[in-house]
Amino acid sequence: MPYFLTFLATLVVPMIPSIVRGLVSYTAVSVGFSLVAYTGLNLALDTLVDFIQSNLNGLPSDLASIVAISGFPQAVNAFLTCLVFSFTLSGLFQTTGYRPSWRRPSNPTGL
């Protein structure tokens, strides 16, 4: 037991401040980026949705019914959802430093 306590006191305890500092700084950067990205993206999407709705409000009732039946509102919603997902994913990759790369599949006959 004394060896274990000596091990903890010499190796693990001195590393605690650097681990905590890294976790706190990484969390602060993540929260700050998320807040800025969410606010900006929310403002941009609200402006885009308001623009689309204001242009659709001037349609005659027959044409508005055709647009509603065709599924245009659902298509716009799917497009905006994909846009938000794309922005979120690219922002996540930039903050973590992850760089996706394509790797050639291995040859199963060459094993």
Side-chain angles (χ1 to χ4, degrees):
M1 185 68 171
Y3 293 116
F4 181 69
L5 292 176
T6 306
F7 170 75
L8 285 178
T10 56
L11 289 176
V12 176
V13 173
M15 290 175 30
I16 289 174
S18 62
I19 292 171
V20 170
R21 187 180 326 118
L23 286 175
V24 167
S25 64
Y26 187 74
T27 304
V29 167
S30 298
V31 168
F33 174 76
S34 299
L35 184 63
V36 169
Y38 175 77
T39 305
L41 200 57
N42 192 21
L43 181 66
L45 287 177
D46 284 344
T47 305
L48 182 63
V49 168
D50 288 341
F51 176 74
I52 291 171
Q53 285 178 348
S54 68
N55 285 331
L56 288 178
N57 285 340
L59 290 177
S61 62
D62 296 340
L63 192 56
S65 298
I66 291 173
V67 166
I69 290 173
S70 70
F72 180 73
Q74 288 83 9
V76 169
N77 189 15
F79 174 75
L80 293 177
T81 302
C82 290
L83 187 70
V84 168
F85 179 73
S86 169
F87 285 158
T88 304
L89 203 59
S90 67
L92 202 77
F93 284 160
Q94 287 177 0
T95 57
T96 58
Y98 176 75
R99 298 191 187 278
S101 62
W102 183 81
R103 293 186 180 91
R104 188 176 69 169
S106 63
N107 187 1
T109 59
L111 296 175

